Amino acid sequence: MRALLLSSHESPPSLVETAEPEPAKGEIKVRIATCGLNFADLLMMKGTYQDTPALPFVMGMEVAGRVEAVGAGVTGFAPGDRVAVYGGQGGLAELGCFPAERAVKLPDSMGWTEAAAFQIAYGTSHLALDHRARLQPGETLLVLGAAGGVGLTAVEIGHLMGARVVACARGADKLEAAKAAGADVLIDATTQDIRAEMKALGGADVVYDPVGGEQFAAAFRACRPEARILTIGFASGEVPQIKANHLLVKNLSVLGLYWGGYLSFRPEVLTRSLQQLIAWHGEGRLTPHVSNVLPLDRAEEGMALLRDRNSTGKVVITIQDI
């Protein structure tokens, strides 16, 4: 089978021919149709992601496909089932073996491309806004990086939860995508002062931040008392340093969110969240935004789109027709 293999953190991954894997106990073997790309893939390439596998490994964190075989002890799945899986690795290949507990069955209403774009982006935003920040109807939600893979889902879910959503992104095209996802107010990070614009709106109750750096600092200073700031990631490359006395004065809370981490200590929280999201999708209330669909032999081009921030929503790699 073909697979995109990373053998060194100093060199790009390469498309290779390798032996088909076979499922171990508790695993399912999936013939992969599509794989969603994530900013974490870029960090894995550099070896700086918190869950970077040991080299060499096949890249690709989340997939959609059809079960081909099941390992010993697996119940609830059978060959032919349509599934989405967060494997953490192994997705940019024609076949992969993944823990069955990480798989969810797909409704007929969800196509392969949507399914590969769904789990991490929507799961991250829903868990952050609902489980961590307890976003309430009528609150003001500021979404930084609002046209990115997770940012657009935060706009969409925040709107669904009844918040006033302020979307911050770079450029008119990206802001238009955020508006279509449900944003009430738009801030262009290239031309407008985030702090000043948010102060004029009365401040933020919740900040959703996958960017970090200067944008975090501006949003931090535009928070209302008792605001909650969600740290999702650091696409700017700069991890903010927080002054604890500023938290004290305004009674602020900074909440970390690593979606995949729930698999190890509270998987039921993640499962409930995905069930809610799939139900919303089935009701037509969520519409995954995929800006780029590329074949496996152009996966590195897809990574470059993320690295250079030239995508809106998700980038999905098609592996094969199944």
Side-chain angles (χ1 to χ4, degrees):
M1 69 171 191
R2 295 186 305 156
L4 192 71
L5 189 72
L6 185 72
S7 300
S8 167
H9 295 304
E10 284 71 49
S11 303
S14 55
L15 193 59
V16 301
E17 290 282 343
T18 187
E20 290 188 13
E22 293 302 328
K25 183 179 180 180
E27 290 186 337
I28 57 174
K29 181 177 180 179
V30 178
R31 182 163 295 277
I32 300 168
T34 50
C35 179
L37 299 187
N38 295 274
F39 189 78
D41 289 310
L42 302 179
L43 300 180
M44 282 190 183
M45 288 171 66
K46 296 189 293 183
T48 57
Y49 189 59
Q50 58 262 29
D51 277 344
T52 300
L55 295 170
F57 67 91
V58 175
M59 298 194 64
M61 300 177 69
E62 60 179 331
V63 305
R66 201 177 295 279
V67 175
E68 186 146 302
V70 299
V74 172
T75 59
F77 294 97
D81 285 345
R82 300 175 73 250
V83 295
V85 187
Y86 169 72
Q89 61 173 303
L92 287 168
E94 292 173 333
L95 292 156
C97 291
F98 309 100
E101 64 186 8
R102 295 191 176 197
V104 293
K105 290 184 181 179
L106 293 174
D108 293 339
S109 59
M110 188 179 290
W112 295 128
T113 299
E114 283 189 318
F118 196 82
Q119 286 191 96
I120 295 177
Y122 279 102
T124 294
S125 292
H126 184 252
L127 220 58
L129 296 175
D130 182 65
H131 180 70
R132 295 292 281 145
R134 308 294 185 187
L135 179 67
Q136 299 299 307
E139 288 190 314
T140 296
L141 167 66
L142 170 61
V143 180
L144 304 178
V150 292
L152 271 179
T153 64
V155 170
E156 196 172 4
I157 290 171
H159 175 75
L160 256 181
M161 294 177 69
R164 176 175 66 158
V165 181
V166 182
C168 178
R170 295 182 179 274
D173 290 347
K174 292 187 175 182
L175 288 171
E176 189 58 36
K179 182 178 180 181
D184 301 290
V185 182
L186 307 176
I187 297 176
D188 191 332
T190 58
T191 59
Q192 294 176 279
D193 184 310
I194 296 171
R195 182 192 181 199
E197 295 295 328
M198 287 306 301
K199 286 286 189 181
L201 292 168
D205 296 299
V206 175
V207 176
Y208 182 98
D209 179 24
V211 178
E214 294 180 357
Q215 291 193 25
F216 174 93
F220 186 94
R221 298 174 70 189
C223 282
R224 291 175 177 169
E226 293 194 324
R228 292 87 75 200
I229 305 170
L230 291 156
T231 59
I232 308 299
F234 313 104
S236 67
E238 182 181 342
V239 178
Q241 303 302 304
I242 302 165
K243 294 184 177 181
N245 60 315
H246 292 182
L247 298 176
L248 180 152
V249 170
K250 294 180 73 174
N251 294 290
L252 302 180
S253 299
V254 179
L255 306 169
L257 189 283
Y258 168 41
W259 181 79
Y262 278 85
L263 288 166
S264 63
F265 69 95
R266 289 193 69 188
E268 74 281 0
V269 172
L270 191 149
T271 300
R272 284 198 303 268
S273 173
L274 283 175
Q275 288 170 343
Q276 176 65 78
L277 290 165
I278 288 173
W280 277 344
H281 180 274
E283 295 165 4
R285 303 178 73 187
L286 296 177
T287 306
H289 183 91
V290 178
S291 63
N292 301 87
V293 180
L294 300 167
L296 181 57
D297 58 8
R298 294 174 62 189
E300 286 186 73
E301 185 180 327
M303 301 286 189
L305 288 169
L306 296 183
R307 185 183 303 111
D308 300 334
R309 302 188 195 182
N310 287 330
S311 60
T312 56
K314 292 284 285 190
V315 177
V316 172
I317 303 301
T318 57
I319 309 298
Q320 58 194 315
D321 293 327
I322 60 174

mmCIF file of all heavy atoms in Angstrom, residues 10 38 41 73 78 83 87 95 98 106 108 122 165 197 256 258 261 282 294 301 321:
data_model
loop_
_atom_site.group_PDB
_atom_site.id
_atom_site.type_symbol
_atom_site.label_atom_id
_atom_site.label_comp_id
_atom_site.label_asym_id
_atom_site.label_seq_id
_atom_site.Cartn_x
_atom_site.Cartn_y
_atom_site.Cartn_z
ATOM 1 N N GLU A 10 14.155 16.415 10.285
ATOM 2 C CA GLU A 10 14.918 17.397 9.494
ATOM 3 C C GLU A 10 14.594 17.295 8.010
ATOM 4 O O GLU A 10 15.066 18.100 7.211
ATOM 5 C CB GLU A 10 16.423 17.177 9.685
ATOM 6 C CG GLU A 10 16.977 17.671 11.017
ATOM 7 C CD GLU A 10 16.527 16.827 12.198
ATOM 8 O OE1 GLU A 10 16.636 15.594 12.106
ATOM 9 O OE2 GLU A 10 16.053 17.412 13.205
ATOM 10 N N ASN A 38 -4.209 18.802 9.891
ATOM 11 C CA ASN A 38 -4.321 19.669 11.051
ATOM 12 C C ASN A 38 -3.002 20.378 11.309
ATOM 13 O O ASN A 38 -1.936 19.898 10.912
ATOM 14 C CB ASN A 38 -4.707 18.847 12.290
ATOM 15 C CG ASN A 38 -6.080 18.226 12.169
ATOM 16 O OD1 ASN A 38 -7.080 18.853 12.484
ATOM 17 N ND2 ASN A 38 -6.143 16.986 11.689
ATOM 18 N N ASP A 41 -0.144 18.418 12.563
ATOM 19 C CA ASP A 41 0.706 17.661 11.645
ATOM 20 C C ASP A 41 2.019 18.395 11.394
ATOM 21 O O ASP A 41 3.081 17.774 11.281
ATOM 22 C CB ASP A 41 -0.019 17.441 10.313
ATOM 23 C CG ASP A 41 -1.173 16.460 10.432
ATOM 24 O OD1 ASP A 41 -0.965 15.366 10.978
ATOM 25 O OD2 ASP A 41 -2.287 16.785 9.987
ATOM 26 N N GLY A 73 -11.463 -9.375 20.095
ATOM 27 C CA GLY A 73 -12.087 -8.635 21.176
ATOM 28 C C GLY A 73 -12.883 -7.428 20.762
ATOM 29 O O GLY A 73 -13.479 -6.752 21.605
ATOM 30 N N ALA A 78 -18.109 -4.051 12.263
ATOM 31 C CA ALA A 78 -18.026 -5.186 11.351
ATOM 32 C C ALA A 78 -17.514 -4.704 10.006
ATOM 33 O O ALA A 78 -17.642 -3.519 9.669
ATOM 34 C CB ALA A 78 -19.399 -5.837 11.195
ATOM 35 N N VAL A 83 -16.838 4.529 8.971
ATOM 36 C CA VAL A 83 -16.382 5.069 10.247
ATOM 37 C C VAL A 83 -15.496 6.298 10.039
ATOM 38 O O VAL A 83 -14.908 6.494 8.977
ATOM 39 C CB VAL A 83 -15.589 4.022 11.059
ATOM 40 C CG1 VAL A 83 -16.470 2.853 11.478
ATOM 41 C CG2 VAL A 83 -14.368 3.531 10.281
ATOM 42 N N GLY A 87 -6.963 8.668 14.950
ATOM 43 C CA GLY A 87 -5.905 7.725 15.273
ATOM 44 C C GLY A 87 -4.664 8.380 15.835
ATOM 45 O O GLY A 87 -3.842 7.733 16.466
ATOM 46 N N LEU A 95 -4.438 2.046 3.895
ATOM 47 C CA LEU A 95 -4.999 1.211 4.959
ATOM 48 C C LEU A 95 -4.368 1.604 6.279
ATOM 49 O O LEU A 95 -3.206 2.015 6.325
ATOM 50 C CB LEU A 95 -4.744 -0.271 4.689
ATOM 51 C CG LEU A 95 -5.464 -0.896 3.502
ATOM 52 C CD1 LEU A 95 -4.708 -2.108 3.000
ATOM 53 C CD2 LEU A 95 -6.891 -1.287 3.886
ATOM 54 N N PHE A 98 -6.412 0.970 13.759
ATOM 55 C CA PHE A 98 -6.641 1.950 14.807
ATOM 56 C C PHE A 98 -7.428 1.314 15.954
ATOM 57 O O PHE A 98 -8.215 0.379 15.733
ATOM 58 C CB PHE A 98 -7.434 3.136 14.260
ATOM 59 C CG PHE A 98 -6.861 3.733 13.015
ATOM 60 C CD1 PHE A 98 -7.399 3.421 11.766
ATOM 61 C CD2 PHE A 98 -5.789 4.609 13.070
ATOM 62 C CE1 PHE A 98 -6.884 3.971 10.606
ATOM 63 C CE2 PHE A 98 -5.261 5.165 11.920
ATOM 64 C CZ PHE A 98 -5.806 4.843 10.679
ATOM 65 N N LEU A 106 -20.443 6.415 11.011
ATOM 66 C CA LEU A 106 -20.904 7.600 10.303
ATOM 67 C C LEU A 106 -22.342 7.429 9.824
ATOM 68 O O LEU A 106 -22.710 6.356 9.322
ATOM 69 C CB LEU A 106 -20.011 7.860 9.085
ATOM 70 C CG LEU A 106 -18.566 8.262 9.373
ATOM 71 C CD1 LEU A 106 -17.788 8.325 8.063
ATOM 72 C CD2 LEU A 106 -18.512 9.598 10.099
ATOM 73 N N ASP A 108 -25.370 8.014 7.142
ATOM 74 C CA ASP A 108 -25.361 8.057 5.682
ATOM 75 C C ASP A 108 -25.321 9.486 5.147
ATOM 76 O O ASP A 108 -24.878 9.724 4.021
ATOM 77 C CB ASP A 108 -26.603 7.337 5.133
ATOM 78 C CG ASP A 108 -26.566 5.833 5.404
ATOM 79 O OD1 ASP A 108 -25.463 5.304 5.626
ATOM 80 O OD2 ASP A 108 -27.649 5.211 5.390
ATOM 81 N N TYR A 122 -14.390 20.210 14.921
ATOM 82 C CA TYR A 122 -15.638 20.409 15.652
ATOM 83 C C TYR A 122 -15.517 19.918 17.088
ATOM 84 O O TYR A 122 -16.058 20.538 18.018
ATOM 85 C CB TYR A 122 -16.791 19.697 14.946
ATOM 86 C CG TYR A 122 -17.352 20.482 13.787
ATOM 87 C CD1 TYR A 122 -17.034 20.156 12.479
ATOM 88 C CD2 TYR A 122 -18.209 21.563 14.000
ATOM 89 C CE1 TYR A 122 -17.539 20.878 11.414
ATOM 90 C CE2 TYR A 122 -18.726 22.289 12.939
ATOM 91 C CZ TYR A 122 -18.383 21.946 11.650
ATOM 92 O OH TYR A 122 -18.886 22.667 10.593
ATOM 93 N N VAL A 165 -21.151 36.368 18.404
ATOM 94 C CA VAL A 165 -19.840 35.895 17.960
ATOM 95 C C VAL A 165 -19.096 36.999 17.224
ATOM 96 O O VAL A 165 -19.586 37.548 16.231
ATOM 97 C CB VAL A 165 -19.975 34.658 17.050
ATOM 98 C CG1 VAL A 165 -18.594 34.174 16.615
ATOM 99 C CG2 VAL A 165 -20.729 33.544 17.759
ATOM 100 N N GLU A 197 -11.419 47.496 19.214
ATOM 101 C CA GLU A 197 -12.696 47.063 18.653
ATOM 102 C C GLU A 197 -13.513 46.302 19.694
ATOM 103 O O GLU A 197 -14.735 46.481 19.797
ATOM 104 C CB GLU A 197 -12.457 46.177 17.425
ATOM 105 C CG GLU A 197 -11.809 46.883 16.243
ATOM 106 C CD GLU A 197 -12.690 47.965 15.644
ATOM 107 O OE1 GLU A 197 -13.931 47.808 15.687
ATOM 108 O OE2 GLU A 197 -12.151 48.963 15.134
ATOM 109 N N GLY A 256 -6.970 25.693 29.434
ATOM 110 C CA GLY A 256 -6.331 24.945 28.360
ATOM 111 C C GLY A 256 -7.268 23.887 27.805
ATOM 112 O O GLY A 256 -8.134 23.368 28.515
ATOM 113 N N TYR A 258 -6.828 20.486 25.255
ATOM 114 C CA TYR A 258 -6.189 19.548 24.322
ATOM 115 C C TYR A 258 -7.186 18.424 24.099
ATOM 116 O O TYR A 258 -7.373 17.552 24.945
ATOM 117 C CB TYR A 258 -4.861 19.036 24.891
ATOM 118 C CG TYR A 258 -4.285 17.868 24.136
ATOM 119 C CD1 TYR A 258 -4.328 17.818 22.737
ATOM 120 C CD2 TYR A 258 -3.675 16.811 24.810
ATOM 121 C CE1 TYR A 258 -3.806 16.747 22.041
ATOM 122 C CE2 TYR A 258 -3.141 15.742 24.128
ATOM 123 C CZ TYR A 258 -3.217 15.709 22.749
ATOM 124 O OH TYR A 258 -2.703 14.640 22.064
ATOM 125 N N GLY A 261 -6.323 14.725 24.510
ATOM 126 C CA GLY A 261 -5.975 14.308 25.852
ATOM 127 C C GLY A 261 -7.113 13.623 26.589
ATOM 128 O O GLY A 261 -6.878 12.789 27.473
ATOM 129 N N GLY A 282 -26.630 15.855 11.457
ATOM 130 C CA GLY A 282 -27.774 15.169 10.868
ATOM 131 C C GLY A 282 -28.997 16.050 10.762
ATOM 132 O O GLY A 282 -29.839 15.862 9.870
ATOM 133 N N LEU A 294 -7.141 17.572 -1.913
ATOM 134 C CA LEU A 294 -5.986 17.210 -2.718
ATOM 135 C C LEU A 294 -5.754 15.704 -2.646
ATOM 136 O O LEU A 294 -6.090 15.070 -1.646
ATOM 137 C CB LEU A 294 -4.728 17.930 -2.213
ATOM 138 C CG LEU A 294 -4.748 19.459 -2.236
ATOM 139 C CD1 LEU A 294 -3.593 20.015 -1.417
ATOM 140 C CD2 LEU A 294 -4.675 19.964 -3.667
ATOM 141 N N GLU A 301 1.690 19.630 -0.325
ATOM 142 C CA GLU A 301 1.102 20.897 -0.761
ATOM 143 C C GLU A 301 0.007 21.331 0.224
ATOM 144 O O GLU A 301 -0.144 22.512 0.548
ATOM 145 C CB GLU A 301 0.525 20.741 -2.165
ATOM 146 C CG GLU A 301 -0.019 22.003 -2.778
ATOM 147 C CD GLU A 301 -0.559 21.749 -4.175
ATOM 148 O OE1 GLU A 301 -0.013 20.879 -4.881
ATOM 149 O OE2 GLU A 301 -1.543 22.425 -4.561
ATOM 150 N N ASP A 321 -10.937 5.998 -3.895
ATOM 151 C CA ASP A 321 -12.374 5.812 -3.998
ATOM 152 C C ASP A 321 -12.736 4.448 -3.412
ATOM 153 O O ASP A 321 -12.140 3.435 -3.782
ATOM 154 C CB ASP A 321 -12.825 5.878 -5.450
ATOM 155 C CG ASP A 321 -12.664 7.264 -6.047
ATOM 156 O OD1 ASP A 321 -12.817 8.247 -5.310
ATOM 157 O OD2 ASP A 321 -12.338 7.362 -7.243
#
